[in-house]
Every structure is written in C-alpha cells, then in structure tokens.
Amino acid sequence: MSVALEAKLGQAWKKPHFIKNPAWRWALILGSIAYFAAAWSGIDINFGRIARGWERGWQFISAFGDPDFTSRWDDIYKGIYESVVMTIASTVVGIAISIPIALGAARNIAPLPVYLVCRAVIAVSRALNEIIVAIILVAILGFGPLAGFITLSFATIGFLAKLLAEDIENMSKSQAEAIKSTGASWTQWINFGVQPQVMPRLIGLSMYRLDINFRESAVLGLVGAGGIGGTLNTAFSRYEFDTVAAILLIIIVTVMFLEYLSGIIRARIQ
Amino acid sequence: MPMQEKNGQKVWQLRTTKSQWIRWGMWLVGLVIFILSWQEISDKTLWFMMDNVGEVIVDIGSRATPPRWSYINQLWWPIWDTLAMATLGTIFALIMAVPVAFMAARNTTPSKFFVRPFALLIIVSTRSVNSLIWALLLVSIVGPGVFAGLIAISIRSIGFCAKLLYEAIEEISETQVEAIRATGASPLQVMVYGIVPQIMPAFAGIAVFRWDINIRESTVLGLVGAGGIGLQLQSSLNVLAWPQVSLILLVILFAVIIGEWISAKVRGAII
Amino acid sequence: MLQLNGLTKVYNTGDKALSDVTLSIPDGQVVALIGPSGAGKSTLIRCVNRLVEPTSGEALLDDINITTLGSGGLRKARRKMGMIFQEYALVERLTVMENVLSGRLGYVGFWRSLFRKFPQKDVDEAYRLLDRVGLLAMVDKRADELSGGQRQRVGIARALIQNPSLLLVDEPTASLDPKTSRQIMRLIVELCEERGLSAIINIHDVALAQMFVQRVIGLETGKVVFDGAPTELTPEVLTQIYGEEDWEATIEKVDDDAEEAV
C-alpha cells in the first residue's frame, strides 16, 4: 500500500466546489439569496384582485374551446394581412442591409474603422427593444405600418448581422486563403471564398428571423405601428376573449407553419 | 457537369438550363411578393406627411435634449421592479421549463404519444405569443402591477427555455447514460448522474441568455400596465415630456448593456 | 458462473444480431469474444445485462435468470456485472471520484447519491482502486481532462467498485494506441485474477486477445463458430470468422513482442 493511499484512506471525500474561494462562494450565495428575497418582497400580490380576475382568466381559457373567427373577421383579416406584409417586406429589407453590415462587422474581413462603425450599428439595434423603436417611429412618422416596417427592418439588422458576422469570423481560413491565393479580387474572394461557407447559415437565420418578425409584428399594433396587434388590443379592451383566442390561435398556427417550413428548408440546404 | 454546345464549342455551366430557369423563377416570385408587400405598406402611408419628417426629428430631438437628469430620483424604484421581474421571471420559467423539456425530449419522455405532444404544445403556445400580449392578458386577470409582468415574463420564457433545453437533452451522449444504467442505478440516479451533468452547461447558458432577453422585455411591459420602468415611459409619452423620455431611454440602454455584460461574463465562466 | 441458453436478438429493423447463442463461462475464466464488426459481439454482452432486451432465450448469472427479472431485480443483478466501454463512457463533466463512485449507485439511495454522501467504506474502496490503477493523484480532476488510457482506467475502477462477479468488457482498447492497449488489457486480466472474476471481453485485435485470455469465442453473424483455447486459432478458423485474408502475420506477431514490459 502506497504512502499516498494510506494518507487518504478514512478521509471523507467532498466534491470540489465550483468556486474555490470559500469567502467568494458564501458572499455569492448569501448575496443572491438576499437579492431574491428583496426582489420578491417588492412584489405585492393582491389576492382579492386575483380572485376576482380569475373568473375572467377562466373565460379566456375556455374561449380557446370556442374561438370566434367570424364576428370580427374583417378586422382580423386586415390585421393579419398587414402583419404578413410587414413581416415579408421588413425581413427582405433587413437581410439586404444586414449582409454588408455583417461583412463590415467581421474582423477578419473589414478594416478597423469600418468594423467599429458596423459593430456600433449592431449594438444600437440590439439594445433598443422593438416596441421602444416603434414608439419613437410612430411619434415621428405617425400611425401605420410604415413605422412597423422600419422597426422590424432595423431589429433584423441587429440580429442577423451579428450572428452572420460571427459566422464569417469562424469560417475556415484555409478555404478563403485558397481563393485569395488564386489572385482573385476582393469581390471575387467574397463570392467564392466566403459566400459558400456562410450561405446555409444565412438562409437558416433568415427563416428564423422571418418567424421572429411575424411574432413581433403581432405586438407592434399595440403602439399603433400596424398589424394584428391593434385588433388584438381592441378585442382585449372590449373583453372579447373569443376573438382574442381566435387571433392568438391564428398567430400560433402561423408560427408553427413557419417553423415547419424553415425546418424543411434548412434540412434541404444541409 | 452540365455542358452546352455553343458555336460548336462546349461551354461549362454551373447548373443545367432547367434548374437555372427554376432558380430565376423563384427569385422572380420572391421579388413580386416583396413589391406587393411594399405596395401595401406604401398605400397605407400618408406620404405627404413625410415631407417634413426631417423637421419633426429635429424638433423632437431638440425637445428631448438635454435629458431631465433630476427625474432619475423617481426612477430608482421602477428600475428595481424591472430587474426583479426579469430575474424572478427567469427563475420561475426555468423551474417550469425543466420538467417540460424532459417530457419533450425524445430520449427522456415518459411517453412519445401522449406526454410528448402535450409538452410540445406547451412549448409552441407559450413561445409564439409575445410577452407583451401575455402581459396584456394577465393585467386583465390579476390586475395591473409588477406581479402581472412577472407572470407574463415567466410564461413567455417557458417555451423558449424548454425548447433549447430539450434540444440539448436530445444531443447528449447515450453511452454515458448507458454506463450509469449498467451499474444498476435507478432511473432517478441515471438522470442525476448520466443526464444532468451533460446538460448543465447548456442549462446555465440558456438561463443567462434568457435573463438577458428578459431585461429587455421587462422594460416595455409597463406600457400595458404590468409594472416596471415602462409605466414611467408611458406616462411621460402621454404628456409629451420628451426630456423624461430621453432619460428613460438612456436608463434602459444602460440596463441592457449591463445585463449583456454580466451574461457574457457568466457564460464565459461556465463554458 | 454465467450460462447463456439459446440467446437470440432480432432488432426492430429485422436484423438478426444473435441467433441461438448457448455457452457457459465458469467463475474466474476470462473469455475473449472475437468476430467482425456487426457480428453481434456488442449485442451479446448488452443482452447479458439487458441494456439490450433479448428477443428469446435466457441468461443466468449464478443461477439467477436475468432475462425474466423485473426492473428492481434487474438493477440488483446489474450490480453484479461491471461493464467497461469502448469510448470509456465516463460522464465527462464529473470528477474522477464521482465517476468511480457512480459504480456504487446500485447500492446507495437516491438522496445520498444526489448529495454525493457515499459511505466512507465506498470512498475508501474508491481510493484503493484508484491507487491500484495508478490514478490516485487525479481524484478531483474532471474526467474530460484525462488522456484516453487514464479514462479507461477510471472506467475499470468504476466497474470494479461494483464488486461484481462478472465483467462485461466492450472493445476496451479500440480507441487506444497499441502500447496503452496492452497496458489496459494486462490490467483487466490481472484484476480478474486477483479478484477471481470471470470476464467477457469483446475485442477486434486477435493478437492482443491471444496474448491475454484463456479462451476465445468466435462470433459470426450472430452465431458461435469457434470456441476453444487461443492456441487453436489457426488461419483456417480466422478465415471462417472473418473471411479470406493472410492470417499468418497476425498470429505470429504475438510471440515476438509478448514480453514487452510496461
């Protein structure tokens, strides 16, 4: 029996802690508990109100058993149509703008000044919630789908350009170098060395963004930026839960359809 | 490799003529759909209003600057509420998402035909509906306030977290699980020793990722009465108090950047 | 003693992986199971501990019929069968110690295992085994920090801490370099000797098998086509198992470097 073994026998074994320094560990644990407790205590729950509201909640849930598509069909149709239109237009425009920005935001392609500018655009687009952008745009442009369209295009840039830029930065260097070594020009290099590597991902991300844009377009109407959200808001304020249920079902089914479609398209590309 | 005769010479082409036509056709259809969509938006826009857009922007911009810094003292509590909604909402969502994810993953679901479709239904329905709509609904059920926002954030996040988590569960290495099963471990022990360690990094990543998103979302829930800094934004917008609006936007921007920084740090530490 | 009677496995796809395998392995015997890929070697040992459910036939370990046990009984029976895997199958994000102790899961309750509160005698036994396989210094390393040979040693310790009477070994050396392969094989065989364990070792490398085991079973499309001492493995027999090839070199290699010390 070795000396090292003898020293260990009879010793209790404990799993090494994730954070080795005990002071830090306890500070973190106690700090988190204190924060959660404080955060929870700041939330007042009015049980009387919930008890009264529960009946309404039940009405809402049961409305899904009997959704009303017909009585507000004109409004629903117009809203959905507008949402779809906004989704398509903004996704196309968003992608078109994202591609050059993504190229500019990839450190292995772009020079530093271009890189910084493009990254700044992405950061601003990601930091601002769609709803907030829509509020500002409605204030500037007035009510209507144009504000929603610009909002979604802008949001698409932050999403798509960031992920695409990361993909370009992670691409295989050797393939791109092989093209460069043939004496290709910059545009040829992008076309033959970079584009084939990132194309499947670009298409996958675009489909995913189409899906997100549709979901977002459903709420922009709440602040007057067009789409089904306006209809939804009206239905909520009139407590017409059966119409609400109909609208939500349409949204859910559309999202499911889009996901299914994007699954097929992604499978075919790869 | 498709070849074509041209002036008696073979010309190389990437694609056959037929597939080339189909490609062009699809591009054309896409273009037409886009133009029609744009037409629709354009029709609903009062373009004559757009003539003075520049002036409007300058006007709002000049009213909004400088931000009313003193207003910050009325914002501390809403900021606290906003963060509380995001953090607690994420925690509740994770607690509920874990069982849903295990029910939805093909390799851990108790029943492929009854439980799994049900779990997938929960995922898709909570995920498809924006948190603002959930908030709208919950305000009418539990009344306006932070609680409604908290529940809205939780519900919206269940589907998101459960979807990513069940995909992670489906990707685990089955042999590691098999090895634990071969020792005579009970199903619960197999889960704790064979499955959980494998999905832990994904779980932590999902948690901070969603927390980061939830900070953004919780800033606007106040617009429909669900508490947080959005309430102040709404009331400032209602009275066109632009210096307050610009301050609130700065605060939101700051909170989002801090959130993103923390989540990046945490993800770096875990993975 | 392990007794297999007419063990048969037909997969849902209709592939017959095992057909009517009958054999018995007395206590303390180490058996190599050879055969081409897809011959049913993995299926055979997985049918013994029922990671794969056999379609028909039975497997008896120490006179207990494993094939008819309920889930509780099966877990008890699995404790008596240590399994060692091709790709080590350690839980990579757990420490070496946790991986070894996971071999005791069949003996401790859920809550103890959840909080890693294993009995001290299990911990001591884990230390002893890790010392025996030469990894005592690695106790708190994470499994994914180890090299292939080290991981397989942890895998061996995990199987042995179960205190099994039978080892099921699935291609223990397939992912290792030649030298490490020998060390691992030697370790397994030595440990079986020390503890009087019987073992079934699936192995591709015929020469390696001949070097270490007392008995070789050849499997071809799910049937036993050879069962005898390693010395009886002639080119004719190997041709029957694997198909036509020049076997002389494979067999002779054994004697040349069998004595390389580690």
Side-chain angles (χ1 to χ4, degrees):
Chain A
M1 204 190 286
S2 70
V3 185
L5 174 62
E6 240 166 314
K8 293 216 166 174
L9 285 182
Q11 297 276 309
W13 172 82
K14 264 169 105 180
K15 186 179 168 64
H17 289 285
F18 181 65
I19 300 166
K20 297 230 164 48
N21 183 335
W24 274 110
R25 186 166 69 237
W26 284 107
L28 205 65
I29 292 172
L30 294 177
S32 312
I33 291 174
Y35 172 70
F36 293 143
W40 180 247
S41 69
I43 293 169
D44 59 323
I45 304 170
N46 183 343
F47 287 101
R49 178 67 181 76
I50 294 172
R52 266 178 287 135
W54 186 241
E55 197 182 328
R56 215 177 269 157
W58 179 246
Q59 275 175 22
F60 172 74
I61 294 168
S62 51
F64 274 92
D66 182 26
D68 178 7
F69 289 93
T70 46
S71 51
R72 304 262 167 215
W73 178 247
D74 280 352
D75 291 341
I76 296 176
Y77 174 77
K78 268 186 210 146
I80 290 285
Y81 184 66
E82 205 168 79
S83 274
V84 170
V85 157
M86 268 161 44
T87 306
I88 294 172
S90 64
T91 309
V92 171
V93 171
I95 294 169
I97 303 173
S98 297
I99 292 171
I101 291 185
L103 288 173
R107 192 66 196 94
N108 53 348
I109 295 185
L112 189 62
V114 178
Y115 171 79
L116 290 177
V117 170
C118 292
R119 282 284 167 178
V121 172
I122 292 175
V124 171
S125 155
R126 279 169 53 77
L128 292 175
N129 190 302
E130 278 97 334
I131 297 291
I132 293 177
V133 176
I135 290 172
I136 298 171
L137 284 172
V138 167
I140 295 173
L141 302 172
F143 293 109
L146 184 68
F149 158 73
I150 298 177
T151 303
L152 292 178
S153 306
F154 184 61
T156 305
I157 295 170
F159 173 87
L160 203 64
K162 174 165 190 279
L163 294 176
L164 196 60
E166 276 165 13
D167 205 41
I168 295 173
E169 285 177 345
N170 291 335
M171 71 180 182
S172 145
K173 238 189 171 138
S174 57
Q175 287 184 40
E177 269 174 356
I179 299 294
K180 216 173 204 177
S181 69
T182 63
S185 71
W186 192 83
T187 42
Q188 285 171 328
W189 177 55
I190 296 293
N191 186 216
F192 283 84
V194 179
Q195 191 203 338
Q197 292 196 50
V198 298
M199 206 56 191
R201 181 128 163 97
L202 173 62
I203 294 173
L205 287 175
S206 304
M207 285 307 298
Y208 184 37
R209 187 65 216 187
L210 189 73
D211 175 10
I212 298 177
N213 278 348
F214 179 74
R215 274 184 269 167
E216 290 294 330
S217 76
V219 289
L220 293 181
L222 297 181
V223 294
I228 186 74
T231 323
L232 194 63
N233 203 9
T234 318
F236 261 120
S237 56
R238 287 180 186 149
Y239 296 117
E240 290 173 350
F241 285 133
D242 38 6
T243 305
V244 171
I247 296 172
L248 291 183
L249 282 175
I250 292 174
I251 294 174
I252 292 172
V253 168
T254 312
V255 169
M256 278 170 77
F257 169 75
L258 282 174
E259 273 188 8
Y260 180 69
L261 192 72
S262 80
I264 292 177
I265 289 177
R266 266 180 283 184
R268 280 197 59 167
I269 297 163
Q270 269 135 27
Chain B
M1 196 182 299
M3 296 278 196
Q4 205 183 30
E5 297 266 338
K6 206 180 229 176
N7 306 331
Q9 277 191 315
K10 290 219 184 271
V11 179
W12 175 81
Q13 282 180 315
L14 182 59
R15 297 184 181 88
T16 60
T17 317
K18 190 180 161 208
S19 69
Q20 190 72 329
W21 276 109
I22 292 174
R23 243 159 207 273
W24 283 117
M26 277 164 64
W27 276 107
L28 192 69
V29 171
L31 192 68
V32 168
I33 291 175
F34 170 66
I35 290 173
L36 287 177
S37 302
W38 172 248
Q39 199 71 43
E40 172 71 20
I41 293 172
S42 178
D43 284 349
K44 290 200 177 161
T45 306
L46 304 169
W47 286 108
F48 67 85
M49 293 258 299
M50 298 301 144
D51 292 343
N52 57 352
V53 160
E55 287 164 41
V56 174
I57 293 175
V58 171
D59 182 43
I60 293 178
S62 67
R63 280 165 202 249
T65 47
R68 212 185 117 204
W69 299 108
S70 59
Y71 186 57
I72 190 82
N73 287 323
Q74 292 174 51
L75 290 180
W76 296 121
W77 195 242
I79 293 170
W80 171 266
D81 278 347
T82 306
L83 290 179
M85 281 197 294
T87 311
L88 296 175
T90 310
I91 292 171
F92 288 149
L94 287 169
I95 292 170
M96 289 181 278
V98 168
V100 174
F102 275 98
M103 288 193 288
R106 278 190 199 87
N107 46 355
T108 54
T109 183
S111 150
K112 268 199 176 112
F113 298 104
F114 299 105
V115 181
R116 183 160 191 267
F118 176 67
L120 290 179
L121 182 71
I122 293 179
I123 290 175
V124 75
S125 54
T126 55
R127 226 167 76 79
S128 308
V129 178
N130 194 292
S131 51
L132 212 53
I133 298 177
W134 282 116
L136 204 60
L137 169 68
L138 282 154
V139 165
S140 80
I141 294 177
V142 305
V146 182
F147 187 60
L150 170 65
I151 305 290
I153 290 272
S154 311
I155 294 179
R156 167 66 180 86
S157 308
I158 293 174
F160 180 92
C161 297
K163 180 172 195 278
L164 292 178
L165 198 59
Y166 99 72
E167 284 168 355
I169 296 173
E170 286 185 348
E171 277 170 19
I172 59 171
S173 143
E174 204 48 51
T175 54
Q176 295 181 25
V177 180
E178 213 177 30
I180 299 296
R181 196 174 294 135
T183 65
S186 68
L188 272 179
Q189 287 174 326
V190 171
M191 187 137 113
V192 170
Y193 273 75
I195 299 174
V196 170
Q198 293 196 58
I199 58 169
M200 219 46 211
F203 178 79
I206 293 164
V208 285
F209 184 33
R210 188 65 219 183
W211 178 71
D212 184 13
I213 298 175
N214 280 346
I215 290 182
R216 288 156 214 257
E217 302 217 326
S218 61
T219 56
V220 292
L221 293 184
L223 294 175
V224 295
I229 200 166
L231 275 175
Q232 273 63 28
L233 182 62
Q234 178 78 309
S235 54
S236 300
L237 277 169
N238 282 346
V239 295
L240 299 177
W242 290 105
Q244 295 183 16
V245 171
S246 61
L247 180 72
I248 292 170
L249 292 184
L250 280 178
V251 167
I252 290 176
L253 203 61
F254 188 68
V256 166
I257 289 169
I258 296 283
E260 184 151 351
W261 182 76
I262 293 176
S263 85
K265 281 274 159 195
V266 172
R267 257 181 290 177
I270 295 163
I271 298 158
Chain C
M1 171 156 138
L2 179 72
Q3 174 72 42
L4 306 183
N5 294 327
L7 206 60
T8 301
K9 172 68 189 175
V10 183
Y11 283 107
N12 289 339
T13 51
D15 297 322
K16 199 165 191 182
L18 285 182
S19 59
D20 199 19
V21 173
T22 299
L23 52 89
S24 76
I25 297 169
D27 286 339
Q29 191 178 57
V30 177
V31 178
L33 198 59
I34 63 170
S37 306
K41 303 193 297 290
S42 281
T43 308
L44 178 66
I45 64 169
R46 281 176 166 73
C47 278
V48 173
N49 66 1
R50 277 175 61 194
L51 286 177
V52 170
E53 287 292 337
T55 314
S56 64
E58 52 181 21
L60 296 106
L61 180 67
D62 300 329
D63 298 325
I64 296 168
N65 189 348
I66 300 167
T67 26
T68 55
L69 289 174
S71 62
L74 175 61
R75 286 207 296 278
K76 277 215 173 70
R78 277 177 177 165
R79 305 193 305 205
K80 292 275 128 206
M81 297 179 280
M83 190 159 175
I84 297 170
F85 292 80
Q86 172 178 0
E87 301 279 358
Y88 331 121
L90 300 183
V91 182
E92 304 215 331
R93 297 188 61 87
L94 295 182
T95 61
V96 167
M97 191 54 152
E98 284 170 289
N99 268 295
V100 175
L101 286 174
S102 69
R104 297 299 294 177
L105 286 177
Y107 296 91
V108 301
F110 172 72
W111 294 105
R112 292 194 85 156
S113 63
L114 179 65
F115 294 110
R116 314 299 197 247
K117 296 273 182 236
F118 288 85
Q120 186 61 38
K121 71 172 176 49
D122 289 357
V123 176
D124 282 346
E125 179 63 10
Y127 281 133
R128 266 186 223 111
L129 281 166
L130 283 171
D131 186 50
R132 177 66 185 81
V133 300
L135 289 176
L136 192 59
M138 306 284 190
V139 170
D140 284 331
K141 280 243 168 27
R142 238 167 61 175
D144 54 6
E145 293 173 54
L146 304 183
S147 71
Q150 289 172 331
R151 288 186 204 196
Q152 194 56 289
R153 284 158 194 273
V154 177
I156 292 168
R158 174 175 66 188
L160 288 175
I161 203 172
Q162 286 178 234
N163 196 17
S165 57
L166 170 71
L167 280 186
L168 301 168
V169 190
D170 191 14
E171 303 281 3
T173 62
S175 320
L176 301 173
D177 65 64
K179 186 177 170 202
T180 318
S181 295
R182 288 183 177 208
Q183 293 172 342
I184 291 293
M185 274 300 280
R186 181 168 298 126
L187 184 64
I188 292 173
V189 172
E190 279 175 10
L191 285 165
C192 285
E193 236 165 71
E194 282 169 23
R195 297 165 171 248
L197 306 181
S198 43
I200 307 179
I201 306 179
N202 281 352
I203 192 158
H204 265 303
D205 191 333
V206 178
L208 201 60
Q210 283 178 304
M211 212 188 309
F212 289 106
V213 302
Q214 303 135 10
R215 176 179 168 195
V216 175
I217 293 173
L219 216 55
E220 203 260 327
T221 57
K223 289 190 198 69
V224 175
V225 292
F226 173 81
D227 188 349
T231 45
E232 293 169 35
L233 272 181
T234 57
E236 292 74 46
V237 173
L238 286 175
T239 303
Q240 193 196 353
I241 300 172
Y242 287 98
E244 199 65 52
E245 188 51 65
D246 177 17
W247 296 110
E248 291 297 337
T250 315
I251 297 170
E252 274 175 20
K253 201 177 81 190
V254 183
D255 309 310
D256 293 340
D257 45 15
E259 284 315 305
E260 190 203 330
V262 182

